[in-house]
Short mmCIF file of all heavy atoms in Angstrom, two decimals:
data_model
loop_
_atom_site.label_atom_id
_atom_site.label_comp_id
_atom_site.label_asym_id
_atom_site.label_seq_id
_atom_site.Cartn_x
_atom_site.Cartn_y
_atom_site.Cartn_z
N GLY A 114 166.95 8.99 183.85
CA GLY A 114 167.44 7.68 184.28
C GLY A 114 166.87 6.58 183.41
O GLY A 114 166.50 5.52 183.89
N GLY A 115 166.81 6.85 182.12
CA GLY A 115 166.17 5.91 181.20
C GLY A 115 167.13 4.97 180.52
O GLY A 115 168.34 5.02 180.72
N GLY A 116 166.55 4.11 179.70
CA GLY A 116 167.35 3.15 178.98
C GLY A 116 166.64 2.62 177.75
O GLY A 116 165.44 2.83 177.56
N VAL A 117 167.42 1.95 176.94
CA VAL A 117 166.93 1.31 175.72
C VAL A 117 167.51 -0.10 175.67
O VAL A 117 168.73 -0.27 175.78
CB VAL A 117 167.35 2.09 174.46
CG1 VAL A 117 166.86 1.39 173.20
CG2 VAL A 117 166.84 3.52 174.51
N VAL A 118 166.65 -1.10 175.53
CA VAL A 118 167.11 -2.47 175.38
C VAL A 118 167.27 -2.77 173.90
O VAL A 118 166.35 -2.51 173.11
CB VAL A 118 166.11 -3.47 176.01
CG1 VAL A 118 166.52 -4.91 175.72
CG2 VAL A 118 166.01 -3.24 177.52
N VAL A 119 168.43 -3.28 173.54
CA VAL A 119 168.72 -3.64 172.15
C VAL A 119 168.92 -5.15 172.09
O VAL A 119 169.70 -5.71 172.85
CB VAL A 119 169.97 -2.90 171.65
CG1 VAL A 119 170.37 -3.41 170.27
CG2 VAL A 119 169.74 -1.40 171.63
N THR A 120 168.19 -5.78 171.18
CA THR A 120 168.33 -7.21 170.92
C THR A 120 168.63 -7.36 169.43
O THR A 120 167.78 -7.03 168.59
CB THR A 120 167.03 -7.97 171.27
OG1 THR A 120 166.71 -7.71 172.65
CG2 THR A 120 167.21 -9.45 171.07
N GLY A 121 169.82 -7.81 169.12
CA GLY A 121 170.21 -7.90 167.72
C GLY A 121 170.25 -6.51 167.11
O GLY A 121 170.90 -5.61 167.63
N ASP A 122 169.51 -6.32 166.03
CA ASP A 122 169.48 -5.01 165.38
C ASP A 122 168.19 -4.24 165.68
O ASP A 122 167.88 -3.26 165.02
CB ASP A 122 169.69 -5.15 163.88
CG ASP A 122 168.53 -5.84 163.17
OD1 ASP A 122 167.67 -6.46 163.85
OD2 ASP A 122 168.49 -5.78 161.92
N ARG A 123 167.44 -4.68 166.70
CA ARG A 123 166.13 -4.09 167.01
C ARG A 123 166.06 -3.56 168.44
O ARG A 123 166.75 -4.03 169.34
CB ARG A 123 165.01 -5.12 166.83
CG ARG A 123 164.89 -5.63 165.44
CD ARG A 123 164.26 -4.60 164.55
NE ARG A 123 164.66 -4.77 163.17
CZ ARG A 123 164.47 -3.88 162.24
NH1 ARG A 123 163.87 -2.73 162.51
NH2 ARG A 123 164.87 -4.09 161.01
N ILE A 124 165.18 -2.60 168.64
CA ILE A 124 164.90 -2.08 169.97
C ILE A 124 163.85 -2.98 170.61
O ILE A 124 162.78 -3.21 170.03
CB ILE A 124 164.39 -0.63 169.90
CG1 ILE A 124 165.51 0.29 169.39
CG2 ILE A 124 163.87 -0.16 171.26
CD1 ILE A 124 165.09 1.72 169.14
N GLY A 125 164.18 -3.49 171.79
CA GLY A 125 163.26 -4.36 172.51
C GLY A 125 162.33 -3.59 173.42
O GLY A 125 161.17 -3.98 173.61
N ALA A 126 162.82 -2.49 174.00
CA ALA A 126 162.00 -1.70 174.91
C ALA A 126 162.71 -0.38 175.22
O ALA A 126 163.94 -0.29 175.12
CB ALA A 126 161.74 -2.47 176.20
N VAL A 127 161.90 0.61 175.61
CA VAL A 127 162.39 1.91 176.05
C VAL A 127 161.66 2.23 177.34
O VAL A 127 160.44 2.04 177.44
CB VAL A 127 162.10 3.01 175.00
CG1 VAL A 127 162.61 4.37 175.47
CG2 VAL A 127 162.69 2.65 173.64
N GLY A 128 162.39 2.69 178.35
CA GLY A 128 161.75 3.03 179.62
C GLY A 128 162.76 3.44 180.66
O GLY A 128 163.90 3.77 180.34
N THR A 129 162.36 3.39 181.92
CA THR A 129 163.28 3.71 183.00
C THR A 129 164.23 2.54 183.21
O THR A 129 163.89 1.39 182.89
CB THR A 129 162.54 4.00 184.31
OG1 THR A 129 161.90 2.80 184.75
CG2 THR A 129 161.53 5.13 184.15
N PHE A 130 165.39 2.82 183.78
CA PHE A 130 166.36 1.78 184.05
C PHE A 130 165.76 0.70 184.95
O PHE A 130 165.90 -0.49 184.68
CB PHE A 130 167.62 2.36 184.68
CG PHE A 130 168.59 1.31 185.14
CD1 PHE A 130 169.28 0.55 184.22
CD2 PHE A 130 168.79 1.07 186.49
CE1 PHE A 130 170.17 -0.44 184.63
CE2 PHE A 130 169.67 0.08 186.91
CZ PHE A 130 170.36 -0.67 185.99
N GLU A 131 165.07 1.12 186.01
CA GLU A 131 164.50 0.17 186.96
C GLU A 131 163.51 -0.78 186.27
O GLU A 131 163.56 -1.99 186.47
CB GLU A 131 163.80 0.89 188.12
CG GLU A 131 164.74 1.67 189.02
CD GLU A 131 165.15 3.02 188.45
OE1 GLU A 131 164.48 3.54 187.52
OE2 GLU A 131 166.17 3.55 188.91
N GLU A 132 162.63 -0.21 185.46
CA GLU A 132 161.64 -1.02 184.75
C GLU A 132 162.32 -2.01 183.80
O GLU A 132 161.98 -3.19 183.76
CB GLU A 132 160.69 -0.09 183.98
CG GLU A 132 159.81 -0.81 183.00
CD GLU A 132 159.17 0.12 181.96
OE1 GLU A 132 159.78 1.13 181.57
OE2 GLU A 132 158.06 -0.20 181.54
N LEU A 133 163.29 -1.53 183.04
CA LEU A 133 163.94 -2.37 182.04
C LEU A 133 164.82 -3.43 182.69
O LEU A 133 164.90 -4.57 182.20
CB LEU A 133 164.74 -1.51 181.07
CG LEU A 133 163.90 -0.54 180.24
CD1 LEU A 133 164.80 0.34 179.39
CD2 LEU A 133 162.89 -1.27 179.38
N ARG A 134 165.47 -3.09 183.79
CA ARG A 134 166.31 -4.06 184.48
C ARG A 134 165.46 -5.21 185.02
O ARG A 134 165.87 -6.37 184.99
CB ARG A 134 167.06 -3.36 185.63
CG ARG A 134 168.16 -4.19 186.18
CD ARG A 134 169.23 -4.33 185.11
NE ARG A 134 170.35 -5.10 185.65
CZ ARG A 134 171.06 -5.94 184.92
NH1 ARG A 134 170.79 -6.11 183.66
NH2 ARG A 134 172.04 -6.59 185.45
N GLU A 135 164.26 -4.87 185.48
CA GLU A 135 163.34 -5.90 185.98
C GLU A 135 162.85 -6.80 184.84
O GLU A 135 162.78 -8.01 184.97
CB GLU A 135 162.16 -5.24 186.68
CG GLU A 135 161.23 -6.23 187.36
CD GLU A 135 160.13 -5.52 188.15
OE1 GLU A 135 160.46 -4.63 188.93
OE2 GLU A 135 158.96 -5.89 187.94
N ARG A 136 162.51 -6.19 183.71
CA ARG A 136 162.00 -6.95 182.57
C ARG A 136 163.07 -7.75 181.85
O ARG A 136 162.79 -8.79 181.25
CB ARG A 136 161.34 -6.01 181.56
CG ARG A 136 160.00 -5.49 182.01
CD ARG A 136 159.36 -4.55 181.00
NE ARG A 136 159.23 -5.14 179.68
CZ ARG A 136 159.07 -4.43 178.57
NH1 ARG A 136 159.01 -3.12 178.61
NH2 ARG A 136 158.95 -5.04 177.41
N PHE A 137 164.32 -7.26 181.88
CA PHE A 137 165.42 -7.89 181.15
C PHE A 137 166.60 -8.11 182.09
O PHE A 137 167.66 -7.49 181.95
CB PHE A 137 165.83 -7.01 179.96
CG PHE A 137 164.73 -6.74 178.98
CD1 PHE A 137 163.91 -5.62 179.13
CD2 PHE A 137 164.50 -7.60 177.92
CE1 PHE A 137 162.88 -5.37 178.23
CE2 PHE A 137 163.47 -7.35 177.02
CZ PHE A 137 162.66 -6.23 177.18
N PRO A 138 166.45 -8.99 183.09
CA PRO A 138 167.48 -9.14 184.12
C PRO A 138 168.83 -9.65 183.59
O PRO A 138 169.86 -9.40 184.19
CB PRO A 138 166.86 -10.13 185.10
CG PRO A 138 165.84 -10.87 184.32
CD PRO A 138 165.33 -9.91 183.29
N GLY A 139 168.82 -10.35 182.48
CA GLY A 139 170.07 -10.89 181.94
C GLY A 139 170.78 -9.97 180.97
O GLY A 139 171.84 -10.32 180.45
N ALA A 140 170.21 -8.80 180.71
CA ALA A 140 170.81 -7.89 179.73
C ALA A 140 172.13 -7.32 180.25
O ALA A 140 172.26 -6.98 181.42
CB ALA A 140 169.85 -6.74 179.40
N ARG A 141 173.09 -7.23 179.34
CA ARG A 141 174.34 -6.53 179.65
C ARG A 141 174.01 -5.05 179.75
O ARG A 141 173.25 -4.52 178.93
CB ARG A 141 175.34 -6.78 178.52
CG ARG A 141 176.59 -5.94 178.61
CD ARG A 141 177.52 -6.23 177.47
NE ARG A 141 176.85 -5.99 176.20
CZ ARG A 141 177.43 -6.11 175.03
NH1 ARG A 141 178.66 -6.52 174.93
NH2 ARG A 141 176.76 -5.86 173.92
N VAL A 142 174.55 -4.36 180.74
CA VAL A 142 174.26 -2.93 180.95
C VAL A 142 175.44 -2.10 180.49
O VAL A 142 176.58 -2.35 180.88
CB VAL A 142 173.94 -2.62 182.43
CG1 VAL A 142 173.72 -1.13 182.63
CG2 VAL A 142 172.72 -3.41 182.88
N ARG A 143 175.14 -1.12 179.65
CA ARG A 143 176.15 -0.17 179.18
C ARG A 143 175.69 1.21 179.61
O ARG A 143 174.66 1.70 179.14
CB ARG A 143 176.26 -0.27 177.67
CG ARG A 143 177.58 0.24 177.19
CD ARG A 143 177.79 -0.09 175.75
NE ARG A 143 178.84 -1.10 175.70
CZ ARG A 143 179.17 -1.76 174.63
NH1 ARG A 143 178.52 -1.57 173.52
NH2 ARG A 143 180.14 -2.62 174.65
N LYS A 144 176.41 1.83 180.54
CA LYS A 144 176.03 3.14 181.06
C LYS A 144 176.77 4.24 180.33
O LYS A 144 177.99 4.16 180.14
CB LYS A 144 176.32 3.22 182.56
CG LYS A 144 175.45 2.29 183.37
CD LYS A 144 175.67 2.45 184.85
CE LYS A 144 174.74 1.49 185.58
NZ LYS A 144 174.86 1.58 187.02
N TRP A 145 176.02 5.26 179.93
CA TRP A 145 176.57 6.39 179.21
C TRP A 145 176.32 7.68 180.00
O TRP A 145 175.22 7.87 180.50
CB TRP A 145 175.93 6.52 177.83
CG TRP A 145 176.09 5.32 176.96
CD1 TRP A 145 175.13 4.40 176.66
CD2 TRP A 145 177.27 4.91 176.28
NE1 TRP A 145 175.65 3.43 175.84
CE2 TRP A 145 176.97 3.73 175.58
CE3 TRP A 145 178.56 5.43 176.19
CZ2 TRP A 145 177.89 3.05 174.80
CZ3 TRP A 145 179.49 4.75 175.42
CH2 TRP A 145 179.16 3.58 174.73
N ALA A 146 177.31 8.53 180.06
CA ALA A 146 177.12 9.86 180.64
C ALA A 146 176.60 10.75 179.52
O ALA A 146 177.22 10.86 178.46
CB ALA A 146 178.44 10.39 181.18
N GLY A 147 175.43 11.34 179.71
CA GLY A 147 174.89 12.22 178.70
C GLY A 147 173.45 11.92 178.38
O GLY A 147 172.72 11.36 179.19
N VAL A 148 173.07 12.29 177.17
CA VAL A 148 171.69 12.18 176.71
C VAL A 148 171.65 11.21 175.54
O VAL A 148 172.39 11.37 174.56
CB VAL A 148 171.16 13.57 176.27
CG1 VAL A 148 169.75 13.47 175.75
CG2 VAL A 148 171.25 14.56 177.43
N LEU A 149 170.78 10.21 175.65
CA LEU A 149 170.65 9.18 174.62
C LEU A 149 169.36 9.42 173.85
O LEU A 149 168.33 9.76 174.43
CB LEU A 149 170.62 7.81 175.29
CG LEU A 149 170.59 6.58 174.41
CD1 LEU A 149 171.26 5.43 175.14
CD2 LEU A 149 169.20 6.19 174.02
#
């Protein structure tokens, strides 16, 4: 249930969805079925 925050051409953070959603509440969410 993880995620990666992308800002511009850089990775901002990697972690669980819950953690990242809390840290980046304004981020657009793109959900993918599978392994990232």
Side-chain angles (χ1 to χ4, degrees):
V117 178
V118 174
V119 173
T120 303
D122 67 346
R123 298 286 154 193
I124 294 174
V127 179
T129 66
F130 173 70
E131 293 80 18
E132 168 197 32
L133 297 175
R134 193 67 178 145
E135 186 175 310
R136 286 180 56 200
F137 302 91
R141 171 180 58 178
V142 177
R143 202 170 250 170
K144 294 185 179 181
W145 301 105
V148 178
L149 184 151

